[in-house]
Amino acid sequence: MNAPSTDAPVPAHEAVYRALRSQILDGELAPGASLTLRGVAERLGVSMTPAREAVRRLVAERALAMTDTGRVQVPLPDADALDELFRARSLLEPELAVRALPRIDKALISQLRAIDERLGSCLEAGDAAGYVRANNAFHGLLYSRAEAPALMALVESVWLQTSPVMRRVYGRTGTGALVDYHEAALDALAARDAEALAAAIRSDVEQGMMLAREAAPPGR
Amino acid sequence: MNAPSTDAPVPAHEAVYRALRSQILDGELAPGASLTLRGVAERLGVSMTPAREAVRRLVAERALAMTDTGRVQVPLPDADALDELFRARSLLEPELAVRALPRIDKALISQLRAIDERLGSCLEAGDAAGYVRANNAFHGLLYSRAEAPALMALVESVWLQTSPVMRRVYGRTGTGALVDYHEAALDALAARDAEALAAAIRSDVEQGMMLAREAAPPGR
DNA sequence: CGGCGCGAATTGTGATCACATCGTGCCGGG
DNA sequence: CCCGGCACGATGTGATCACAATTCGCGCCG
């Protein structure tokens, strides 16, 4: 019913988790929207038990937030929280990129270039969801070559928290005047220049932080 | 049922989570040990449902690992995983320390000094569990002043993964020839020297990595 | 004496139910 | 017209049950 494309049988709670996760990453779940266990369960055709596990897993990853009374909703990080999250990204992601560098080949660079073009067209078309998805794909594909699952898990947890805001960002601003640091990263990749690669990734993340800051509720 | 001392009622799954979490952090759960949901549930006097939620939450935080057949066990990170984890700590923890710096007062410094002394005595006494606990307390108390919950959550996830190994480390090595970077950190705190503080924390983490590397199974 | 297959006990998964609590809207009084 | 309390519905929590897959031990065969 959900995604029978893979031959490996996926447990119900895993399917629910993936569905919710991708909806959060793609910004289909608006920040502030509240979820109910029965609602999620019925929407995805399972009982409450796997729905609860998936929701709690996302809460553990801070992709969802729970009030002290157990109500679940998509969190909207304030400016301070965003500052923390993007700071974490600017510290961790260059490390992942540099670790991936030795394992990069021409084929991957062209894949990345293709994603970057799709990203550019989403930006022109004003397709915020597509932009966020392509951006995640770009970084995710690059970092996957680092073969660093523990670091990757940390970064993905941060993405889960920032994505809803980014969706909002690209949906509202004119998306103009954006420097394409992905190009710089690709050049550094081709030149096998670790220093330049780290700088490009860091700049890319920090540019995201600038944008996010404008669209987020003020901090304390 | 278990700890009615606090006035705030703690849900069963939360109680189970805290119990398991502290057992992992203190090294009471040996790496490689396997857990069963029914075992955990019975041991803590709850039914399977909250036990499952607590275990899955810890799995989501990578403090526990699940085989593809659903079996749960305490993971023993190999050398490569440890390298990732300590690298993350050396990137994130100086940031937390520096963010805490403006909010440090004399009272906190003396609290930290007290913890550091307890840490030293645990080291002399060969109390590995006490050492790990005191070390976590030292870093945790310092970083709590950063008021950066998102960053803190990332670091705590990493601690959950490294603690079992550290317990093993301090249990086996003679714990000799350890430079006390905590002293250096305290001095930097007193002098309000952000640069020196970051360097001390980074050195402390990297020293831990050196020790852990020896006691971990080799990587790929 | 050692490897191997088979069966029983164990284990994770998912569904369903009972219950306490919380949120919400409605109604009556000021 | 507005505010406050009350009742009903909705929601999270936890327990229990049925089931399928897996694991492990025991006995058998080579």
Side-chain angles (χ1 to χ4, degrees):
Chain A
M1 153 193 329
N2 32 32
S5 55
T6 64
D7 46 347
V10 173
H13 62 87
E14 180 75 21
V16 174
Y17 169 77
R18 293 184 191 176
L20 289 179
R21 177 195 164 93
S22 75
Q23 285 181 8
I24 294 172
L25 276 178
D26 295 351
E28 295 173 24
L29 254 45
S34 57
L35 301 180
T36 65
L37 296 184
R38 286 174 177 83
V40 171
E42 191 172 357
R43 182 154 58 93
L44 298 176
V46 297
S47 84
M48 269 181 59
T49 309
R52 246 205 303 190
E53 295 197 23
V55 167
R56 294 211 94 94
R57 182 171 166 190
L58 288 163
V59 170
E61 293 171 341
R62 298 182 137 250
L64 293 175
M66 268 184 63
T67 71
D68 50 1
T69 62
R71 264 23 192 236
V72 179
Q73 58 180 29
V74 183
L76 180 60
D78 65 16
D80 290 320
L82 278 177
D83 185 60
E84 291 178 50
L85 294 170
F86 277 96
R87 184 75 178 127
R89 288 189 59 185
S90 78
L91 290 169
L92 295 175
E93 293 196 25
E95 174 73 17
L96 275 166
V98 170
R99 280 172 182 246
L101 187 52
R103 298 193 187 86
I104 297 295
D105 52 20
K106 299 231 181 257
L108 190 90
I109 292 184
S110 57
Q111 281 183 58
L112 288 172
R113 228 176 265 282
I115 294 176
D116 198 32
E117 281 178 26
R118 200 174 79 221
L119 193 149
S121 59
C122 286
L123 204 147
E124 284 183 27
D127 178 4
Y131 182 88
V132 172
R133 189 160 37 230
N135 195 54
N136 285 339
F138 183 91
H139 288 260
L141 179 58
L142 172 55
Y143 303 154
S144 70
R145 284 302 196 283
E147 289 176 20
L151 282 170
M152 195 65 192
L154 292 176
V155 170
E156 285 184 342
S157 168
V158 178
W159 286 353
L160 238 26
Q161 298 174 66
T162 55
S163 283
V165 189
M166 295 319 284
R167 161 67 189 271
R168 175 179 281 215
V169 167
Y170 294 111
R172 87 149 61 161
T173 72
T175 66
L178 285 183
V179 183
D180 191 344
Y181 290 109
H182 287 186
E183 283 291 345
L186 288 168
D187 292 344
L189 241 36
R192 306 218 166 250
D193 183 342
E195 203 65 43
L197 176 60
I201 296 293
R202 190 162 17 245
S203 298
D204 187 53
V205 171
E206 283 168 0
Q207 175 175 268
M209 173 158 56
M210 298 296 180
L211 292 175
R213 199 170 270 158
E214 299 171 14
R220 50 181 163 278
Chain B
M1 160 193 321
N2 35 28
S5 56
T6 64
D7 45 348
V10 174
H13 63 88
E14 181 75 21
V16 174
Y17 169 77
R18 293 184 191 176
L20 288 179
R21 178 194 163 94
S22 74
Q23 286 180 8
I24 294 171
L25 275 178
D26 296 351
E28 295 172 26
L29 253 46
S34 57
L35 301 180
T36 66
L37 297 184
R38 286 174 177 84
V40 171
E42 191 172 357
R43 182 154 58 93
L44 298 177
V46 297
S47 85
M48 268 181 60
T49 309
R52 245 203 305 188
E53 295 198 24
V55 166
R56 295 211 93 95
R57 182 170 167 190
L58 288 163
V59 169
E61 293 171 340
R62 300 186 135 247
L64 293 176
M66 270 186 61
T67 70
D68 49 2
T69 63
R71 256 48 187 221
V72 180
Q73 58 181 26
V74 184
L76 180 60
D78 64 17
D80 290 322
L82 277 178
D83 185 60
E84 290 178 49
L85 294 170
F86 277 97
R87 184 74 177 128
R89 289 189 57 185
S90 78
L91 290 169
L92 295 174
E93 294 196 26
E95 174 73 15
L96 275 167
V98 170
R99 281 173 182 245
L101 187 51
R103 299 193 188 85
I104 298 295
D105 52 20
K106 297 228 181 265
L108 191 88
I109 293 185
S110 57
Q111 280 184 61
L112 288 172
R113 229 175 265 282
I115 293 176
D116 198 32
E117 282 177 26
R118 198 174 81 221
L119 194 150
S121 61
C122 286
L123 205 147
E124 283 183 27
D127 179 4
Y131 182 89
V132 172
R133 190 161 34 231
N135 194 53
N136 285 339
F138 183 90
H139 289 260
L141 178 58
L142 173 55
Y143 303 154
S144 71
R145 283 301 195 282
E147 288 176 23
L151 283 171
M152 196 65 193
L154 292 176
V155 169
E156 285 184 343
S157 168
V158 178
W159 286 353
L160 238 27
Q161 297 174 66
T162 55
S163 282
V165 189
M166 296 319 284
R167 162 67 189 272
R168 175 179 279 214
V169 168
Y170 295 111
R172 87 150 62 161
T173 72
T175 66
L178 284 183
V179 183
D180 191 345
Y181 290 110
H182 288 185
E183 283 291 345
L186 288 169
D187 292 344
L189 241 36
R192 306 216 166 251
D193 182 343
E195 203 67 42
L197 176 60
I201 297 294
R202 190 162 17 245
S203 298
D204 188 52
V205 170
E206 283 168 359
Q207 175 174 266
M209 173 159 54
M210 298 296 182
L211 292 175
R213 200 170 268 160
E214 298 172 15
R220 49 181 163 278

